[in-house]
Amino acid sequence: MKSLKKRIIEEGHALNKDVLKVDSFLNHQVDANLMYEVGTYFKDYFKEHGITKVFTIESSGIAPAAMAALQMDLKLIILKKQNSKILKGEVYQTTVHSFTKDTDYELTLSKKYIGKDDKVLLIDDFLANGEAAMGVARIIEEAGAKLSGIGIVIEKSFQPGRKILENKGYDIYSLARIARLDKNVVEFLD
Ligand code: G4P
């Protein structure tokens, strides 16, 4: 997605070999027009996949996921990050480890918002190690539903997330794929 890459080049800050800050249009201030365009790309790519629901994880995935859901005329479900296990049986939960932030959380989804016939499109802002997406996949599998696609705004292709998800057979569509980061350096894959 040309306009996204342009914004990454113009406004992104590569802090080091691992982290790209994009606070001015994605993670802190959100450019709603850009997110709208992001939504059109996800809709175009996934329109033949029979998607019934759009999922994301709080919080930075919400803006692009909402735009995709709007364009696909589907409900958006936001999976929550809880600090501890909920013992009542009304939710699905799985522990997710974030390598970037070195923390664990309980990814949580109410059983009300998924059924076994659902075909889910997961949208997230970044793909790094794939831990969050794998957590969503575990929950969807436990619910007997299907993860039919994964839409990512910025993929750090030098980290293992894509490989791990591809090996599980998931269809991943990323709007910007980054081959390399270094202090003030951003290189795209294509
Ligand atoms: P993974 O799910 O692919 O394994 O990623 P990881 O746990 O390593 O990432 C943890 C958090 O850090 C996620 O946000 C992710 O979006 C964010 N993140 C990872 N790499 C980058 C990066 O290069 N730049 C930026 N800006 N963020 C990155 P989160 O904890 O879910 O927080 P939130 O912002 O969605 O609330």
Side-chain angles (χ1 to χ4, degrees):
M1 182 178 155
K2 236 175 159 176
S3 53
L4 173 65
K5 288 184 186 169
K6 186 165 178 279
R7 295 295 288 275
I8 292 171
I9 291 163
E10 287 173 0
E11 297 174 37
H13 293 289
L15 299 185
N16 49 43
K17 287 177 189 295
D18 292 319
V19 178
L20 175 68
K21 292 286 272 184
V22 283
D23 279 359
S24 66
F25 61 87
L26 183 57
N27 290 132
H28 197 356
Q29 172 172 265
V30 173
D31 184 329
N33 283 309
L34 184 70
M35 290 305 115
Y36 186 85
E37 196 185 345
V38 160
T40 64
Y41 275 75
F42 288 139
K43 175 187 157 189
D44 287 348
Y45 185 85
F46 290 108
K47 64 181 177 224
E48 309 296 341
H49 286 55
I51 304 293
T52 61
K53 275 177 189 155
V54 177
F55 277 23
T56 194
I57 304 160
E58 61 179 354
S59 58
S60 295
I62 295 173
M67 292 300 181
L70 176 72
Q71 304 226 15
M72 297 171 87
D73 195 19
L74 295 170
K75 293 280 193 294
L76 168 65
I77 288 97
I78 301 163
L79 278 73
K80 309 221 175 200
K81 294 171 183 164
Q82 309 275 5
N83 294 326
S84 57
K85 286 237 180 257
I86 296 170
L87 295 172
K88 288 178 252 161
E90 302 139 8
V91 297
Y92 294 111
Q93 274 193 323
T94 189
T95 307
V96 171
H97 177 70
S98 164
F99 287 103
T100 305
K101 298 192 172 171
D102 196 22
T103 50
D104 284 355
Y105 58 86
E106 297 298 324
L107 190 66
T108 304
L109 169 67
S110 167
K111 290 184 177 174
K112 278 192 285 196
Y113 300 124
I114 190 165
K116 60 178 175 30
D117 295 330
D118 275 322
K119 290 185 175 174
V120 174
L121 170 61
L122 169 65
I123 303 280
D124 213 351
D125 57 335
F126 271 92
L127 176 60
N129 295 286
E131 291 290 315
M134 285 303 297
V136 175
R138 288 194 294 279
I139 282 181
I140 291 171
E141 194 177 326
E142 198 185 338
K146 187 169 180 226
L147 179 53
S148 296
I150 300 173
I152 299 292
V153 182
I154 301 175
E155 173 188 312
K156 293 191 290 180
S157 307
F158 56 91
Q159 292 184 333
R162 172 178 275 267
K163 263 263 121 51
I164 290 166
L165 296 167
E166 272 178 351
N167 288 343
K168 292 274 177 188
Y170 297 120
D171 187 353
I172 308 154
Y173 177 54
S174 303
L175 302 183
R177 299 185 68 192
I178 292 175
R180 190 174 82 90
L181 290 177
D182 211 331
K183 199 166 168 51
N184 300 320
V185 175
V186 179
E187 282 176 17
F188 294 102
L189 206 59
D190 37 24

mmCIF file of all heavy atoms in Angstrom, residues 18-22 27 57-61 81 97-101 105 124-133 156 159 181, ligand 1:
data_model
loop_
_atom_site.group_PDB
_atom_site.id
_atom_site.type_symbol
_atom_site.label_atom_id
_atom_site.label_comp_id
_atom_site.label_asym_id
_atom_site.label_seq_id
_atom_site.Cartn_x
_atom_site.Cartn_y
_atom_site.Cartn_z
ATOM 1 N N ASP A 18 14.851 -3.284 16.076
ATOM 2 C CA ASP A 18 13.613 -4.009 16.370
ATOM 3 C C ASP A 18 12.335 -3.179 16.333
ATOM 4 O O ASP A 18 11.275 -3.716 16.025
ATOM 5 C CB ASP A 18 13.686 -4.644 17.777
ATOM 6 C CG ASP A 18 14.714 -5.749 17.824
ATOM 7 O OD1 ASP A 18 14.770 -6.516 16.840
ATOM 8 O OD2 ASP A 18 15.454 -5.823 18.807
ATOM 9 N N VAL A 19 12.414 -1.922 16.702
ATOM 10 C CA VAL A 19 11.169 -1.170 16.958
ATOM 11 C C VAL A 19 11.013 0.034 16.035
ATOM 12 O O VAL A 19 11.913 0.866 15.899
ATOM 13 C CB VAL A 19 11.108 -0.698 18.435
ATOM 14 C CG1 VAL A 19 9.855 0.123 18.680
ATOM 15 C CG2 VAL A 19 11.141 -1.897 19.377
ATOM 16 N N LEU A 20 9.827 0.099 15.414
ATOM 17 C CA LEU A 20 9.458 1.232 14.560
ATOM 18 C C LEU A 20 8.340 2.000 15.252
ATOM 19 O O LEU A 20 7.273 1.439 15.527
ATOM 20 C CB LEU A 20 8.961 0.699 13.207
ATOM 21 C CG LEU A 20 8.424 1.732 12.235
ATOM 22 C CD1 LEU A 20 9.549 2.635 11.729
ATOM 23 C CD2 LEU A 20 7.728 1.056 11.065
ATOM 24 N N LYS A 21 8.565 3.279 15.527
ATOM 25 C CA LYS A 21 7.514 4.111 16.134
ATOM 26 C C LYS A 21 6.698 4.757 15.016
ATOM 27 O O LYS A 21 7.254 5.398 14.122
ATOM 28 C CB LYS A 21 8.138 5.232 16.989
ATOM 29 C CG LYS A 21 8.842 4.753 18.226
ATOM 30 C CD LYS A 21 7.889 4.300 19.305
ATOM 31 C CE LYS A 21 7.467 5.437 20.206
ATOM 32 N NZ LYS A 21 6.610 4.934 21.314
ATOM 33 N N VAL A 22 5.391 4.587 15.101
ATOM 34 C CA VAL A 22 4.498 5.228 14.119
ATOM 35 C C VAL A 22 3.347 5.895 14.876
ATOM 36 O O VAL A 22 2.178 5.719 14.538
ATOM 37 C CB VAL A 22 3.990 4.227 13.046
ATOM 38 C CG1 VAL A 22 5.055 3.930 12.013
ATOM 39 C CG2 VAL A 22 3.491 2.941 13.678
ATOM 40 N N ASN A 27 -0.406 4.559 16.190
ATOM 41 C CA ASN A 27 -0.409 4.062 17.571
ATOM 42 C C ASN A 27 -0.779 5.074 18.653
ATOM 43 O O ASN A 27 -1.002 4.685 19.799
ATOM 44 C CB ASN A 27 0.964 3.468 17.927
ATOM 45 C CG ASN A 27 1.232 2.169 17.188
ATOM 46 O OD1 ASN A 27 2.296 1.987 16.618
ATOM 47 N ND2 ASN A 27 0.271 1.276 17.187
ATOM 48 N N ILE A 57 -7.283 -7.094 18.682
ATOM 49 C CA ILE A 57 -6.862 -7.133 20.086
ATOM 50 C C ILE A 57 -6.676 -5.693 20.527
ATOM 51 O O ILE A 57 -6.092 -4.895 19.791
ATOM 52 C CB ILE A 57 -5.526 -7.895 20.205
ATOM 53 C CG1 ILE A 57 -5.672 -9.294 19.597
ATOM 54 C CG2 ILE A 57 -5.057 -7.967 21.649
ATOM 55 C CD1 ILE A 57 -4.358 -9.917 19.235
ATOM 56 N N GLU A 58 -7.170 -5.382 21.716
ATOM 57 C CA GLU A 58 -6.993 -4.004 22.172
ATOM 58 C C GLU A 58 -5.500 -3.707 22.304
ATOM 59 O O GLU A 58 -4.733 -4.604 22.629
ATOM 60 C CB GLU A 58 -7.723 -3.797 23.513
ATOM 61 C CG GLU A 58 -7.198 -4.680 24.638
ATOM 62 C CD GLU A 58 -7.947 -4.426 25.950
ATOM 63 O OE1 GLU A 58 -8.776 -3.514 26.026
ATOM 64 O OE2 GLU A 58 -7.660 -5.165 26.901
ATOM 65 N N SER A 59 -5.007 -2.486 22.033
ATOM 66 C CA SER A 59 -5.794 -1.355 21.651
ATOM 67 C C SER A 59 -5.468 -0.825 20.244
ATOM 68 O O SER A 59 -6.354 -0.321 19.558
ATOM 69 C CB SER A 59 -5.573 -0.227 22.657
ATOM 70 O OG SER A 59 -4.192 0.087 22.706
ATOM 71 N N SER A 60 -4.239 -0.957 19.790
ATOM 72 C CA SER A 60 -3.885 -0.282 18.534
ATOM 73 C C SER A 60 -4.430 -0.959 17.277
ATOM 74 O O SER A 60 -4.392 -0.369 16.196
ATOM 75 C CB SER A 60 -2.371 -0.143 18.409
ATOM 76 O OG SER A 60 -1.896 0.697 19.412
ATOM 77 N N GLY A 61 -4.935 -2.170 17.413
ATOM 78 C CA GLY A 61 -5.545 -2.823 16.249
ATOM 79 C C GLY A 61 -6.939 -2.295 15.957
ATOM 80 O O GLY A 61 -7.499 -2.554 14.881
ATOM 81 N N LYS A 81 -7.217 -7.801 26.907
ATOM 82 C CA LYS A 81 -6.026 -8.304 27.606
ATOM 83 C C LYS A 81 -6.269 -8.167 29.094
ATOM 84 O O LYS A 81 -6.274 -7.052 29.626
ATOM 85 C CB LYS A 81 -4.818 -7.452 27.237
ATOM 86 C CG LYS A 81 -4.398 -7.546 25.795
ATOM 87 C CD LYS A 81 -3.352 -6.494 25.542
ATOM 88 C CE LYS A 81 -2.919 -6.447 24.129
ATOM 89 N NZ LYS A 81 -2.213 -5.203 23.825
ATOM 90 N N HIS A 97 2.375 -14.331 25.468
ATOM 91 C CA HIS A 97 3.618 -13.664 25.884
ATOM 92 C C HIS A 97 4.017 -12.650 24.824
ATOM 93 O O HIS A 97 4.048 -12.975 23.634
ATOM 94 C CB HIS A 97 4.744 -14.685 26.075
ATOM 95 C CG HIS A 97 6.042 -14.042 26.436
ATOM 96 N ND1 HIS A 97 6.260 -13.453 27.665
ATOM 97 C CD2 HIS A 97 7.167 -13.836 25.723
ATOM 98 C CE1 HIS A 97 7.474 -12.939 27.698
ATOM 99 N NE2 HIS A 97 8.043 -13.152 26.534
ATOM 100 N N SER A 98 4.301 -11.424 25.260
ATOM 101 C CA SER A 98 4.808 -10.418 24.341
ATOM 102 C C SER A 98 6.318 -10.321 24.492
ATOM 103 O O SER A 98 6.819 -9.936 25.548
ATOM 104 C CB SER A 98 4.174 -9.056 24.641
ATOM 105 O OG SER A 98 4.935 -8.052 23.990
ATOM 106 N N PHE A 99 7.037 -10.685 23.414
ATOM 107 C CA PHE A 99 8.509 -10.572 23.457
ATOM 108 C C PHE A 99 8.913 -9.109 23.420
ATOM 109 O O PHE A 99 9.862 -8.705 24.090
ATOM 110 C CB PHE A 99 9.130 -11.314 22.265
ATOM 111 C CG PHE A 99 9.068 -12.806 22.411
ATOM 112 C CD1 PHE A 99 8.131 -13.552 21.721
ATOM 113 C CD2 PHE A 99 9.953 -13.467 23.257
ATOM 114 C CE1 PHE A 99 8.068 -14.931 21.855
ATOM 115 C CE2 PHE A 99 9.903 -14.846 23.403
ATOM 116 C CZ PHE A 99 8.954 -15.581 22.699
ATOM 117 N N THR A 100 8.172 -8.304 22.635
ATOM 118 C CA THR A 100 8.537 -6.890 22.499
ATOM 119 C C THR A 100 8.444 -6.183 23.844
ATOM 120 O O THR A 100 9.294 -5.372 24.196
ATOM 121 C CB THR A 100 7.611 -6.202 21.462
ATOM 122 O OG1 THR A 100 7.690 -6.937 20.237
ATOM 123 C CG2 THR A 100 8.023 -4.771 21.214
ATOM 124 N N LYS A 101 7.379 -6.504 24.617
ATOM 125 C CA LYS A 101 7.182 -5.797 25.889
ATOM 126 C C LYS A 101 7.597 -6.646 27.090
ATOM 127 O O LYS A 101 7.532 -6.184 28.228
ATOM 128 C CB LYS A 101 5.723 -5.369 26.014
ATOM 129 C CG LYS A 101 5.340 -4.390 24.902
ATOM 130 C CD LYS A 101 4.016 -3.717 25.121
ATOM 131 C CE LYS A 101 3.803 -2.629 24.072
ATOM 132 N NZ LYS A 101 2.469 -2.072 24.069
ATOM 133 N N TYR A 105 -0.127 -11.726 29.210
ATOM 134 C CA TYR A 105 -1.499 -11.319 29.518
ATOM 135 C C TYR A 105 -2.447 -12.447 29.139
ATOM 136 O O TYR A 105 -2.065 -13.359 28.384
ATOM 137 C CB TYR A 105 -1.869 -10.004 28.806
ATOM 138 C CG TYR A 105 -1.746 -10.020 27.308
ATOM 139 C CD1 TYR A 105 -2.785 -10.465 26.489
ATOM 140 C CD2 TYR A 105 -0.573 -9.580 26.694
ATOM 141 C CE1 TYR A 105 -2.662 -10.484 25.113
ATOM 142 C CE2 TYR A 105 -0.438 -9.595 25.310
ATOM 143 C CZ TYR A 105 -1.480 -10.043 24.530
ATOM 144 O OH TYR A 105 -1.362 -10.072 23.160
ATOM 145 N N ASP A 124 -4.614 -6.674 12.814
ATOM 146 C CA ASP A 124 -3.787 -6.079 13.870
ATOM 147 C C ASP A 124 -2.846 -5.041 13.268
ATOM 148 O O ASP A 124 -2.618 -5.042 12.058
ATOM 149 C CB ASP A 124 -3.008 -7.165 14.628
ATOM 150 C CG ASP A 124 -2.827 -6.798 16.104
ATOM 151 O OD1 ASP A 124 -3.143 -5.644 16.508
ATOM 152 O OD2 ASP A 124 -2.364 -7.660 16.876
ATOM 153 N N ASP A 125 -2.341 -4.166 14.122
ATOM 154 C CA ASP A 125 -1.475 -3.084 13.631
ATOM 155 C C ASP A 125 -0.086 -3.605 13.260
ATOM 156 O O ASP A 125 0.426 -3.288 12.197
ATOM 157 C CB ASP A 125 -1.390 -1.924 14.637
ATOM 158 C CG ASP A 125 -0.899 -2.341 16.009
ATOM 159 O OD1 ASP A 125 -1.048 -3.528 16.376
ATOM 160 O OD2 ASP A 125 -0.367 -1.484 16.740
ATOM 161 N N PHE A 126 0.513 -4.430 14.133
ATOM 162 C CA PHE A 126 1.867 -4.943 13.887
ATOM 163 C C PHE A 126 1.875 -6.462 13.934
ATOM 164 O O PHE A 126 1.156 -7.074 14.738
ATOM 165 C CB PHE A 126 2.837 -4.446 14.972
ATOM 166 C CG PHE A 126 3.480 -3.130 14.632
ATOM 167 C CD1 PHE A 126 2.901 -1.933 15.042
ATOM 168 C CD2 PHE A 126 4.656 -3.078 13.909
ATOM 169 C CE1 PHE A 126 3.486 -0.710 14.723
ATOM 170 C CE2 PHE A 126 5.251 -1.867 13.590
ATOM 171 C CZ PHE A 126 4.671 -0.677 13.990
ATOM 172 N N LEU A 127 2.704 -7.062 13.104
ATOM 173 C CA LEU A 127 3.034 -8.484 13.261
ATOM 174 C C LEU A 127 4.527 -8.550 13.548
ATOM 175 O O LEU A 127 5.347 -8.095 12.744
ATOM 176 C CB LEU A 127 2.702 -9.280 11.998
ATOM 177 C CG LEU A 127 3.101 -10.760 12.018
ATOM 178 C CD1 LEU A 127 2.400 -11.517 13.147
ATOM 179 C CD2 LEU A 127 2.780 -11.425 10.679
ATOM 180 N N ALA A 128 4.859 -9.104 14.711
ATOM 181 C CA ALA A 128 6.263 -9.224 15.104
ATOM 182 C C ALA A 128 6.598 -10.704 15.284
ATOM 183 O O ALA A 128 7.035 -11.372 14.356
ATOM 184 C CB ALA A 128 6.501 -8.415 16.381
ATOM 185 N N ASN A 129 6.322 -11.213 16.457
ATOM 186 C CA ASN A 129 6.626 -12.625 16.737
ATOM 187 C C ASN A 129 5.438 -13.559 16.525
ATOM 188 O O ASN A 129 5.570 -14.775 16.648
ATOM 189 C CB ASN A 129 7.135 -12.758 18.170
ATOM 190 C CG ASN A 129 8.460 -12.030 18.340
ATOM 191 O OD1 ASN A 129 9.490 -12.500 17.866
ATOM 192 N ND2 ASN A 129 8.426 -10.863 18.962
ATOM 193 N N GLY A 130 4.284 -12.993 16.276
ATOM 194 C CA GLY A 130 3.105 -13.813 15.990
ATOM 195 C C GLY A 130 2.414 -14.378 17.217
ATOM 196 O O GLY A 130 1.472 -15.158 17.101
ATOM 197 N N GLU A 131 2.875 -13.965 18.403
ATOM 198 C CA GLU A 131 2.313 -14.545 19.633
ATOM 199 C C GLU A 131 0.845 -14.164 19.824
ATOM 200 O O GLU A 131 0.026 -14.990 20.234
ATOM 201 C CB GLU A 131 3.124 -14.080 20.855
ATOM 202 C CG GLU A 131 4.528 -14.654 20.904
ATOM 203 C CD GLU A 131 4.532 -16.151 21.191
ATOM 204 O OE1 GLU A 131 3.792 -16.584 22.091
ATOM 205 O OE2 GLU A 131 5.264 -16.868 20.508
ATOM 206 N N ALA A 132 0.527 -12.905 19.562
ATOM 207 C CA ALA A 132 -0.855 -12.453 19.745
ATOM 208 C C ALA A 132 -1.781 -13.180 18.754
ATOM 209 O O ALA A 132 -2.846 -13.685 19.141
ATOM 210 C CB ALA A 132 -0.944 -10.944 19.555
ATOM 211 N N ALA A 133 -1.341 -13.256 17.498
ATOM 212 C CA ALA A 133 -2.167 -13.931 16.478
ATOM 213 C C ALA A 133 -2.338 -15.408 16.820
ATOM 214 O O ALA A 133 -3.428 -15.971 16.651
ATOM 215 C CB ALA A 133 -1.529 -13.763 15.095
ATOM 216 N N LYS A 156 6.773 -6.817 10.434
ATOM 217 C CA LYS A 156 8.235 -6.814 10.537
ATOM 218 C C LYS A 156 8.681 -8.201 10.054
ATOM 219 O O LYS A 156 8.723 -9.156 10.813
ATOM 220 C CB LYS A 156 8.658 -6.499 11.962
ATOM 221 C CG LYS A 156 8.286 -5.052 12.348
ATOM 222 C CD LYS A 156 8.906 -4.618 13.639
ATOM 223 C CE LYS A 156 8.279 -5.349 14.795
ATOM 224 N NZ LYS A 156 8.844 -4.955 16.096
ATOM 225 N N GLN A 159 11.201 -10.645 11.642
ATOM 226 C CA GLN A 159 10.869 -11.357 12.873
ATOM 227 C C GLN A 159 10.021 -12.592 12.499
ATOM 228 O O GLN A 159 9.490 -12.665 11.397
ATOM 229 C CB GLN A 159 10.166 -10.423 13.853
ATOM 230 C CG GLN A 159 11.142 -9.347 14.351
ATOM 231 C CD GLN A 159 10.579 -8.412 15.413
ATOM 232 O OE1 GLN A 159 9.391 -8.184 15.489
ATOM 233 N NE2 GLN A 159 11.458 -7.836 16.209
ATOM 234 N N LEU A 181 15.237 -2.979 9.922
ATOM 235 C CA LEU A 181 15.210 -1.718 10.672
ATOM 236 C C LEU A 181 16.585 -1.504 11.283
ATOM 237 O O LEU A 181 17.279 -2.455 11.627
ATOM 238 C CB LEU A 181 14.206 -1.778 11.830
ATOM 239 C CG LEU A 181 12.712 -1.803 11.549
ATOM 240 C CD1 LEU A 181 11.955 -1.949 12.863
ATOM 241 C CD2 LEU A 181 12.271 -0.541 10.817
HETATM 242 P P1 G4P B 1 3.491 -10.435 18.411
HETATM 243 O O1 G4P B 1 2.103 -10.452 18.917
HETATM 244 O O2 G4P B 1 3.582 -10.404 16.906
HETATM 245 O O3 G4P B 1 4.296 -11.554 19.011
HETATM 246 O O4 G4P B 1 4.147 -9.089 18.867
HETATM 247 P P2 G4P B 1 4.716 -8.672 20.280
HETATM 248 O O5 G4P B 1 3.993 -9.426 21.336
HETATM 249 O O6 G4P B 1 6.186 -8.797 20.216
HETATM 250 O O7 G4P B 1 4.253 -7.170 20.338
HETATM 251 C C1 G4P B 1 3.758 -6.646 21.515
HETATM 252 C C2 G4P B 1 3.192 -5.288 21.320
HETATM 253 O O8 G4P B 1 4.161 -4.436 20.726
HETATM 254 C C3 G4P B 1 1.969 -5.187 20.444
HETATM 255 O O9 G4P B 1 1.242 -4.109 20.921
HETATM 256 C C4 G4P B 1 2.562 -4.830 19.098
HETATM 257 O O10 G4P B 1 1.620 -4.170 18.283
HETATM 258 C C5 G4P B 1 3.654 -3.905 19.511
HETATM 259 N N1 G4P B 1 4.772 -3.846 18.592
HETATM 260 C C6 G4P B 1 5.592 -4.844 18.201
HETATM 261 N N2 G4P B 1 6.552 -4.373 17.423
HETATM 262 C C7 G4P B 1 6.352 -3.042 17.301
HETATM 263 C C8 G4P B 1 7.036 -2.000 16.611
HETATM 264 O O11 G4P B 1 8.050 -2.177 15.937
HETATM 265 N N3 G4P B 1 6.500 -0.749 16.737
HETATM 266 C C9 G4P B 1 5.387 -0.491 17.447
HETATM 267 N N4 G4P B 1 4.948 0.761 17.480
HETATM 268 N N5 G4P B 1 4.724 -1.447 18.133
HETATM 269 C C10 G4P B 1 5.207 -2.709 18.039
HETATM 270 P P3 G4P B 1 0.323 -4.270 22.174
HETATM 271 O O12 G4P B 1 1.061 -4.727 23.383
HETATM 272 O O13 G4P B 1 -0.766 -5.201 21.762
HETATM 273 O O14 G4P B 1 -0.137 -2.857 22.504
HETATM 274 P P4 G4P B 1 -1.189 -1.909 21.857
HETATM 275 O O15 G4P B 1 -0.381 -0.803 21.283
HETATM 276 O O16 G4P B 1 -1.966 -2.622 20.798
HETATM 277 O O17 G4P B 1 -2.040 -1.541 23.000
#
